[in-house]
Amino acid sequence: MLQPGGRLIVIGYGNMGKAIVDGLTGARQLSGAPPLLERSRVVAVDPRAEASDVHIGRDFAAVAPLREGDALLLAVKPQVFPAVAASVAGALRSSTLALSVMAGITSQRISEALGRHARIVRAMPNTPAQIGQGATAFALGPGATAADAGAARAMLGALGPLVTQIDESLMDAFTAVAGSGPAYLFYFAEAMTAGAIKAGFDDQTADAVVRQTLLGSAMLLASDSRTSPAELRARVTSKGGTTEAALNTLADGKVHQAVVSAILAARDRGRELGSR
């Protein structure tokens, strides 16, 4: 994934930065396969980072200049990026790959901020990456090569089973579906739990039933890509039965249309943020 002797410089060691490092270094691995990267080759740059078994630098000057074969992982919040770019730009080499997982900042803006040596790949993971079940998209930006695409795919594959290369014009749409998607499920889980409690269950039992129902249903959905969600729903729905009564209520509330509208609203908001 990295060139021999190269380091992974992680700028921003929050949840996503840690998730990528843990995946690459085998912290979540159960198969016994060798990790893609040794933790000794990881340097995390974050002024708020706590003690860790990877090398921690409080500012970029602690690791600059970059060495031949180093790669950058930009995992800071978007509003912090201008300050990061100011400290990083002069240290980039022509061999440096910069992989960004920052939301809302286009690869063109990153390239302009980092300068002519930047080779940019932009990616969007989602929060299930924290347990190795992420869905991630990436797009090649200015200066990036086919070899960079391979390196990005290997790195992002540590986050979960789905890594897909897309045109960057679809990044806001991917964010709306996969990036924000876990929140939609959690929102529905909240509503199901409230309904279970209102139907008579105590809080603890309602919580356990909803969690396992959603987990089992998601695993069933993922187990057979040839069976559509609509077909799976139909199999549970008997004519005149309890499920049909529930689904009719959801239809009356225009829940289907609301979900579609929510995804489009998230996509449009992403476009607005990216244009600033």
Side-chain angles (χ1 to χ4, degrees):
M1 195 271 306
L2 295 179
Q3 297 180 31
R7 302 170 298 168
L8 178 63
I9 312 300
V10 184
I11 303 182
Y13 203 52
N15 289 335
M16 194 55 66
K18 289 178 182 177
I20 293 175
V21 169
D22 285 348
L24 287 171
T25 58
R28 295 190 305 265
Q29 209 165 72
L30 301 177
S31 65
L36 294 172
L37 182 68
E38 302 85 10
R39 293 186 84 83
S40 61
R41 294 171 63 193
V42 177
V43 179
V45 179
D46 193 322
R48 300 166 302 171
E50 299 176 357
S52 171
D53 60 342
V54 302
H55 300 297
I56 294 288
R58 299 301 170 186
D59 56 66
F60 186 73
V63 296
L66 295 179
R67 305 172 186 169
E68 188 73 26
D70 284 352
L72 276 180
L73 174 62
L74 300 171
V76 296
K77 294 188 181 301
Q79 59 268 30
V80 178
F81 176 65
V84 168
S87 63
V88 169
L92 288 181
R93 305 170 65 99
S94 60
S95 62
T96 305
L97 168 65
L99 175 66
S100 168
V101 294
M102 299 181 294
I105 300 185
T106 66
S107 61
Q108 184 61 44
R109 285 178 60 193
I110 297 170
S111 178
E112 291 169 356
L114 295 185
R116 63 184 180 87
H117 285 313
R119 290 175 19 234
I120 310 299
V121 176
R122 182 183 173 198
M124 175 52 64
N126 62 4
T127 54
Q130 296 172 30
I131 58 168
Q133 291 297 319
T136 306
F138 73 93
L140 298 184
T145 66
D148 293 331
R153 189 177 291 277
M155 188 184 300
L156 298 168
L159 298 178
L162 178 65
V163 179
T164 183
Q165 183 175 350
I166 62 174
D167 188 88
E168 190 170 359
S169 64
L170 287 171
M171 194 63 77
D172 292 318
F174 183 86
T175 302
V177 177
S180 301
Y184 311 152
L185 181 68
F186 303 150
Y187 185 85
F188 196 68
E190 289 180 74
M192 285 183 67
T193 303
I197 293 169
K198 197 162 187 178
F201 288 105
D202 62 81
D203 292 9
Q204 186 174 1
T205 302
D207 181 74
V209 170
V210 169
R211 287 175 187 266
Q212 183 56 43
T213 299
L214 292 178
L215 173 62
S217 300
M219 292 177 70
L220 179 61
L221 177 64
S223 68
D224 183 2
S225 61
R226 294 171 297 180
T227 305
S228 70
E231 290 176 289
L232 290 172
R233 173 179 52 78
R235 291 177 186 178
V236 186
T237 310
S238 301
K239 186 69 174 175
T242 58
T243 305
E244 185 180 67
L247 292 176
N248 285 342
T249 300
L250 293 176
D252 290 342
K254 295 182 170 51
V255 172
H256 185 282
Q257 296 96 313
V259 172
V260 173
S261 296
I263 289 174
L264 296 180
R267 179 204 62 186
D268 294 345
R269 180 57 176 161
R271 288 175 176 174
E272 290 174 7
L273 293 173
S275 65
R276 292 182 178 179

